[in-house]
């Protein structure tokens, strides 16, 4: 077995054009077209988290990557075939950061200098492509150099300056002018002077490009030029992003942009003149994460990705069939996981803790007439001779169905009957099956915890779910598992299967790395990380409580209008570093009907705290809890957590009138018992 790990991944920005093509795995053409929209002249922002594939998609559509894939066609034939030419430019943070006023003076001048520098950078990338097209085209193609310069420069340059003899000569001028601007900016700290003249107005060269290229060559002039600008988050200053917004607004119909960045990279939509661009008017926004999550054939893509990686590493011959999901040992769910639990937990399975906690909760409940005899009778009905998972589920059903004036002996006997009928397939009532499906994974996690065993995370489908269809996340999981398999001398290519233990360990290592090391950017990321630790502790408390909330403890919702600026900032930082994710625009509050913000913990972090990876419903947090989690200076989180923990583990008699809800609320003074609704079959998984 080769030591090299075929799933190790680097950033697409570090790849050569050859590697961009080599590592590319074909996706659904309709999906890809909906993201890049190569023939649309409306500019768009392609936003997504780290590793979602933004850079790879842009570079795959760039001219030089496309040319490598079409070796039998001339550049103009390639342009006519695809009907567009992609010009890739990376927004370099180091270049942009120096265009900043040190003393707060001359800010408009600094903004203009940055804009001129960025425009020259775009022009340089374009001229490299045009020069390549001209050099590689046959004599049958006519290139009108004079027409190009007359249309591009006549409104800007002194007529005496229009004496370039070639595109290469013009590109040299562009580079020299750009270098002069950079030198001026670099020297400013010593000279305090910004004396510089450029013979064109900001944006004027870009806006004249379309007619200049048409005059240069009629065939090239037929196609759309896409300026593919990557990593817009590197333009951290609002004044710099205003330059880009200005290019979008006033270049519409002349230049078209595809601008990628993190989901929250955009700081402004204002142009230099102050007038804002509007979504779906001047530009479109595409959320790549959500599009990937809704891609129906993502698993097919993921399987092809794995196969291609193994082929490239020399592990597979092209003809060899390989199914990645057959590599991983699956959890055996026969007899309600009894066979698996016997194997994983050993012969001495612990059922004592679950019923001990339940009995203690019964004794401390509001039902004062419960004596030891009644409690023993209830426990006997719920425990029966059932598999361990069914026992745990019976306890939970009892808690959820306990209402005021309920005969608890009859209730436990009824649950016993339903469990028996369900196991033996004698009932048409699907409520027991729906309820068990609803809480199965949480109950299994509790069983593992009762027996001091780590929660299991295994199977290719679950790895895809954890990754949220993020390619780099999936490769990271597979890479860590591959390293452990190699260390344990498991040859997956020879047919050996990776055990559940090794899979879970590899996933845990991935989660630990992402939570502790992958986003270390000083105190800003440290504050966000510490807040996530507190949030995860709350979610873990929910999952391992006696009265598990109806929702999967992964999503949270809250009224953002009531939060302090401090907590909003740290929440935003947690989103920027992908500790938290947000794939929609929130949900309507059941009382006020206002829209609450709805976020969820990145499932890649779930194994760190033994949390679920599926999303279903949300925990509604009040302002006190949110502030305690996301404001470092607050010191009341432990107290609020303790109060919440007590409520989740106390059996409280419910009124008979119930309303179906899709959230569980955590309130400081009044605990909303929507988390205990018995009407489980009406809840839909998100």
């Amino acid at each position: 077995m080769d030591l090299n790990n075929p799933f190790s991944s680097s950033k697409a920005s570090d790849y050569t054009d050859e590697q961009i093509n080599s590592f590319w795995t074909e996706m659904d053409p309709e999906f890809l077209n909906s993201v890049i929209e190569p023939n649309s002249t409306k500019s768009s922002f392609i936003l997504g988290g780290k590793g979602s594939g933004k850079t790879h998609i842009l570079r795959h559509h760039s001219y030089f990557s496309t040319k490598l894939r079409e070796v039998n066609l001339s550049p103009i034939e390639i342009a006519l075939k695809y009907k567009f030419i992609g010009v890739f430019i990376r927004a370099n943070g180091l270049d942009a950061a120096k265009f900043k006023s040190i003393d707060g003076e001359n800010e408009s001048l600094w903004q203009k200098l940055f804009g001129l520098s960025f425009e020259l950078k775009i022009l340089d990338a374009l001229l490299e492509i045009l020069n390549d097209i001209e050099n590689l085209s046959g004599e049958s193609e006519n290139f009108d150099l004079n027409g190009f310069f007359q249309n591009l420069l006549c409104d800007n340059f002194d007529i005496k300056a229009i004496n370039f003899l070639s595109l290469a000569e013009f590109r040299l001028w562009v580079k020299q002018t750009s270098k002069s601007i950079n030198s001026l900016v670099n020297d400013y700290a010593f000279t305090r002077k910004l004396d510089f003249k450029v013979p064109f107005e900001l944006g004027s060269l870009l806006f004249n490009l379309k007619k200049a290229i048409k005059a240069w060559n009629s065939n090239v002039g037929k196609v759309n030029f896409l300026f593919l600008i990557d990593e817009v988050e590197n333009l951290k200053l609002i004044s710099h992003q205003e330059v880009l917004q200005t290019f979008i607004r006033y270049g519409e119909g002349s230049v078209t942009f595809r601008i990628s960045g993190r989901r929250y990279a955009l700081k402004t939509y204002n142009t230099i003149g102050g007038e804002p661009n509007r979504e779906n008017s001047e530009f479109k926004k595409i959320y790549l994460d959500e599009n990937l999550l809704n891609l129906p054939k993502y698993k097919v893509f993921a399987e092809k990705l794995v196969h291609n990686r193994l082929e490239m590493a020399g592990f597979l011959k092209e003809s060899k069939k390989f199914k990645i999901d057959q590599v991983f040992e699956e959890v055996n769910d026969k007899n309600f996981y009894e066979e698996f639990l016997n194997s994983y937990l050993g012969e001495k399975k612990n059922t004592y803790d679950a019923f001990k906690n339940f009995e203690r909760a019964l004794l401390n409940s509001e039902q004062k007439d419960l004596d030891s005899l009644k409690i023993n009778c209830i426990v006997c009905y719920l425990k029966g001779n059932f598999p361990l998972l069914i026992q745990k589920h019976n306890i939970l059903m009892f808690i959820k169905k306990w209402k005021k004036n309920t005969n608890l002996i009859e209730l436990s006997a009824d649950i016993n009957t339903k469990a028996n009928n369900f196991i033996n397939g004698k009932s048409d009532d699907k409520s027991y099956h729906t309820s068990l499906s609803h809480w199965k994974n949480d109950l299994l996690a509790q069983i593992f915890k009762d027996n001091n065993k780590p929660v299991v995370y295994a199977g290719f489908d679950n790895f895809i779910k954890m990754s949220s269809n993020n390619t780099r996340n999936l490769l990271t999981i597979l890479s860590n598992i591959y390293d452990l398999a190699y260390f344990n001398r498991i040859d997956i290519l020879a047919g050996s299967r990776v055990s559940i233990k090794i899979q879970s360990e590899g996933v845990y290592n991935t989660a630990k790395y992402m939570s502790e090391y992958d986003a270390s950017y000083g105190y800003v990321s440290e504050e966000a990380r510490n807040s996530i630790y507190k949030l995860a502790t709350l979610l873990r408390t929910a999952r391992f409580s006696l009265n598990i909330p109806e929702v999967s403890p992964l999503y949270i919702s809250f009224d953002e209008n009531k939060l302090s600026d401090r907590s909003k900032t740290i929440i935003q930082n947690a989103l920027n570093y992908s500790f938290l994710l947000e794939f929609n625009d929130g949900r309507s509050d059941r009382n006020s009907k206002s829209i609450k913000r709805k976020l969820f913990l990145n499932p890649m972090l779930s194994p760190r705290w033994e949390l679920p990876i599926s999303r279903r419903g949300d925990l509604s947090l009040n302002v006190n809890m949110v502030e305690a989690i996301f404001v470092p200076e607050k010191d009341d989180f432990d107290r609020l957590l303790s109060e919440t923990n007590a409520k989740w583990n106390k059996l409280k008699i419910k009124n008979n009138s119930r309303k179906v809800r899709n959230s569980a609320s955590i309130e400081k003074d009044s605990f909303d018992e929507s988390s205990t609704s018995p009407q489980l079959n009406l809840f839909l998984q998100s």
Side-chain angles (χ1 to χ4, degrees):
M1 191 173 180
D2 196 318
L3 180 61
N4 294 326
N5 189 326
F7 304 116
S8 60
S9 61
S10 301
K11 296 189 297 181
S13 57
D14 296 332
Y15 290 160
T16 64
D17 290 318
E18 290 83 357
Q19 289 173 317
I20 286 292
N21 288 331
S22 297
F23 286 117
W24 180 261
T25 300
E26 283 301 324
M27 304 182 75
D28 183 342
E30 289 186 11
F31 167 81
L32 205 56
N33 188 68
S34 69
V35 172
I36 207 72
E37 292 187 299
N39 303 125
S40 171
T41 57
K42 185 185 290 294
S43 293
S44 61
F45 291 97
I46 302 170
L47 306 175
K50 180 171 63 175
S52 56
K54 305 180 299 295
T55 300
H56 209 145
I57 289 174
L58 291 192
R59 290 194 61 188
H60 177 78
H61 288 85
S62 69
Y63 168 79
F64 288 106
S65 292
T66 306
K67 191 178 78 165
L68 289 175
R69 299 193 299 271
E70 299 287 359
V71 293
N72 295 322
L73 299 179
S74 71
I76 290 182
E77 288 173 332
I78 294 172
L80 293 175
K81 175 181 177 180
Y82 288 91
K83 296 184 174 59
F84 76 93
I85 290 176
V87 186
F88 180 82
I89 306 107
R90 188 171 177 225
N92 192 314
L94 292 176
D95 288 345
K98 59 191 176 187
F99 290 92
K100 179 182 179 181
S101 174
I102 299 174
D103 48 18
E105 296 183 0
N106 299 318
E107 290 186 358
S108 61
L109 180 57
W110 283 101
Q111 183 183 55
K112 185 174 182 179
L113 281 172
F114 167 76
L116 294 172
S117 176
F118 200 69
E119 185 170 0
L120 290 169
K121 184 174 183 176
I122 294 172
L123 192 59
D124 178 50
L126 173 67
L127 288 171
E128 182 183 13
I129 292 172
L130 296 183
N131 199 51
D132 189 73
I133 291 174
E134 186 178 50
N135 291 338
L136 297 179
S137 297
E139 295 181 358
S140 59
E141 286 294 337
N142 178 49
F143 296 98
D144 184 354
L145 191 64
N146 187 58
F148 177 82
F149 287 128
Q150 287 290 341
N151 283 277
L152 184 68
L153 307 178
C154 64
D155 294 333
N156 306 289
F157 280 55
D158 187 291
I159 195 67
K160 295 178 182 178
I162 310 175
N163 57 359
F164 301 115
L165 301 178
S166 66
L167 291 179
E169 196 173 295
F170 180 48
R171 188 182 178 209
L172 180 62
W173 177 88
V174 168
K175 286 182 173 294
Q176 289 173 340
T177 306
S178 181
K179 185 177 179 180
S180 297
I181 294 176
N182 287 328
S183 297
L184 178 75
V185 171
N186 292 335
D187 292 343
Y188 177 77
F190 306 101
T191 65
R192 286 294 192 268
K193 292 181 180 180
L194 289 175
D195 298 330
F196 185 75
K197 280 189 175 182
V198 287
F200 64 95
E201 288 296 322
L202 179 64
S204 58
L205 292 181
L206 279 182
F207 305 154
N208 285 330
L209 279 176
K210 189 169 186 178
K211 61 181 182 180
I213 292 171
K214 279 185 176 179
W216 178 65
N217 181 274
S218 58
N219 282 325
V220 180
K222 294 176 183 177
V223 305
N224 191 20
F225 275 77
L226 296 181
F227 292 93
L228 312 169
I229 300 179
D230 191 31
E231 298 184 358
V232 70
E233 64 270 12
N234 288 333
L235 306 184
K236 299 183 184 301
L237 296 183
I238 290 177
S239 61
H240 294 170
Q241 293 199 9
E242 284 177 346
V243 169
L244 204 53
Q245 295 289 351
T246 301
F247 289 163
I248 290 172
R249 184 176 189 85
Y250 298 106
E252 190 171 6
S254 301
V255 287
T256 305
F257 294 96
R258 298 289 178 265
I259 304 168
S260 78
R262 298 287 179 88
R263 185 181 177 107
Y264 306 97
L266 299 179
K267 299 179 182 296
T268 185
Y269 299 111
N270 286 341
T271 62
I272 291 177
E275 190 172 0
N277 288 332
R278 294 161 298 172
E279 186 175 356
N280 297 323
S281 178
E282 283 78 29
F283 67 89
K284 284 183 63 176
K285 271 200 292 191
I286 297 166
Y287 292 110
L288 189 56
D289 296 307
E290 292 180 32
N291 288 7
L292 284 169
L293 201 63
N294 295 321
L295 187 62
K297 296 181 180 179
Y298 184 83
K299 185 181 178 182
V300 175
F301 163 76
E303 289 171 340
K304 287 164 60 179
L305 174 73
V306 169
H307 199 279
N308 290 350
R309 285 274 176 159
L310 291 170
E311 271 190 3
M312 286 177 57
F315 292 169
L316 288 182
K317 292 183 179 179
E318 212 170 306
S319 59
K320 183 172 181 179
K321 292 183 179 179
F322 180 83
K323 294 285 288 181
I324 184 64
D325 52 1
Q326 294 176 0
V327 165
F328 304 110
E329 183 183 346
E330 299 277 357
V331 174
N332 183 354
D333 61 357
K334 291 182 179 178
N335 192 24
F336 309 102
Y337 296 89
E338 198 70 359
E339 293 179 27
F340 166 70
L341 291 173
N342 286 336
S343 171
Y344 187 65
L345 305 179
E347 295 181 0
K348 297 182 179 180
K349 289 184 300 186
N350 180 13
T351 61
Y352 176 68
D353 283 347
F355 281 95
K356 180 179 72 173
N357 293 336
F358 175 60
E359 290 172 13
R360 185 188 300 116
L362 286 172
L363 282 172
N364 295 326
S365 71
E366 297 174 1
Q367 188 102 355
K368 301 304 180 183
D369 62 340
L370 276 176
D371 54 28
S372 58
L373 185 62
K374 288 182 179 179
I375 290 174
N376 286 338
C377 184
I378 291 169
V379 168
C380 284
Y381 273 126
L382 299 180
K383 193 170 186 179
N385 194 29
F386 297 120
L388 184 52
L389 178 63
I390 299 298
Q391 292 178 4
K392 291 280 291 185
H393 180 243
N394 288 345
I395 293 175
L396 190 61
M397 278 199 78
F398 179 89
I399 295 170
K400 300 295 182 185
K401 288 180 174 291
W402 185 2
K403 297 184 180 69
K404 192 174 182 179
N405 300 323
T406 297
N407 185 314
L408 299 184
I409 304 297
E410 290 181 1
L411 174 60
S412 58
D414 180 61
I415 292 173
N416 178 286
T417 301
K418 286 185 176 180
N420 271 307
N421 289 339
F422 169 70
I423 288 173
N424 297 311
K426 294 181 179 179
S427 174
D428 293 332
D429 183 1
K430 296 182 180 180
S431 62
Y432 193 95
H433 174 267
T434 302
S435 174
L436 182 62
S437 299
H438 193 85
W439 276 293
K440 173 183 64 181
N441 292 326
D442 296 325
L443 293 172
L444 284 170
Q446 289 194 359
I447 292 171
F448 299 145
K449 183 173 179 289
D450 291 342
N451 289 271
N452 297 314
K453 294 286 187 180
V455 172
V456 165
Y457 298 89
F460 188 63
D461 287 348
N462 282 326
F463 300 153
I464 291 176
K465 191 179 294 184
M466 281 182 60
S467 73
S468 300
N469 290 10
N470 180 297
T471 303
R472 190 184 300 173
N473 286 348
L474 179 61
L475 288 173
T476 303
I477 294 171
L478 296 177
S479 177
N480 282 323
I481 293 174
Y482 182 90
D483 283 340
L484 285 171
Y486 180 86
F487 180 78
N488 287 275
R489 300 183 180 278
I490 298 171
D491 192 341
I492 62 174
L493 301 175
S496 300
R497 302 188 79 193
V498 182
S499 69
I500 288 171
K501 179 182 177 182
I502 288 178
Q503 293 178 64
S504 297
E505 186 179 349
V507 167
Y508 175 81
N509 290 344
T510 303
K512 185 175 181 182
Y513 172 77
M514 289 190 67
S515 63
E516 295 182 3
Y517 307 110
D518 192 38
S520 297
Y521 301 103
Y523 79 93
V524 175
S525 61
E526 191 64 26
E527 284 182 340
R529 182 185 293 106
N530 290 339
S531 294
I532 291 304
Y533 282 14
K534 287 192 283 187
L535 174 61
T537 302
L538 172 66
L539 297 176
R540 178 181 169 83
T541 301
R543 191 180 207 197
F544 291 101
S545 65
L546 189 62
N547 189 0
I548 310 171
E550 298 226 354
V551 302
S552 177
L554 205 62
Y555 257 116
I556 60 169
S557 64
F558 50 86
D559 187 346
E560 190 174 38
N561 294 325
K562 297 179 180 179
L563 299 184
S564 66
D565 290 341
R566 184 82 165 107
S567 60
K568 289 178 183 178
T569 297
I570 295 180
I571 288 170
Q572 193 58 52
N573 290 335
L575 287 161
N576 289 339
Y577 296 123
S578 296
F579 294 139
L580 290 175
L581 300 178
E582 182 176 33
F583 283 169
N584 55 42
D585 297 324
R587 68 170 180 84
S588 175
D589 180 74
R590 62 176 176 269
N591 296 320
S592 67
K593 303 305 179 185
S594 62
I595 298 297
K596 284 193 170 186
R597 194 163 189 186
K598 190 173 178 182
L599 313 174
F600 64 99
L601 186 76
N602 189 335
M604 290 289 287
L605 303 177
S606 288
R608 182 74 172 78
W609 292 276
E610 300 185 306
L611 292 169
I613 58 176
S614 296
R615 301 181 296 279
R616 183 192 70 240
D618 58 275
L619 288 172
S620 181
L621 307 186
N622 70 353
V623 64
N624 294 327
M625 181 63 82
V626 178
E627 292 281 304
I629 291 171
F630 290 103
V631 178
E633 294 77 18
K634 294 277 187 179
D635 59 0
D636 55 350
F637 173 72
D638 289 340
R639 176 182 61 81
L640 293 175
L641 178 67
S642 178
E643 292 174 1
T644 303
N645 181 46
K647 291 170 184 175
W648 271 326
N649 286 284
K650 180 181 179 181
L651 302 186
K652 188 175 180 180
I653 304 172
K654 298 174 285 296
N655 293 323
N656 288 320
S657 59
R658 306 298 300 145
K659 291 183 179 180
V660 177
R661 294 162 181 162
N662 67 347
S663 67
S665 297
I666 300 174
E667 300 294 340
K668 178 182 175 184
D669 298 317
S670 59
F671 178 53
D672 183 344
E673 293 168 348
S674 62
S675 61
T676 59
S677 169
Q679 302 176 13
L680 309 177
N681 56 319
L682 297 182
F683 283 85
L684 299 177
Q685 292 193 6
S686 62

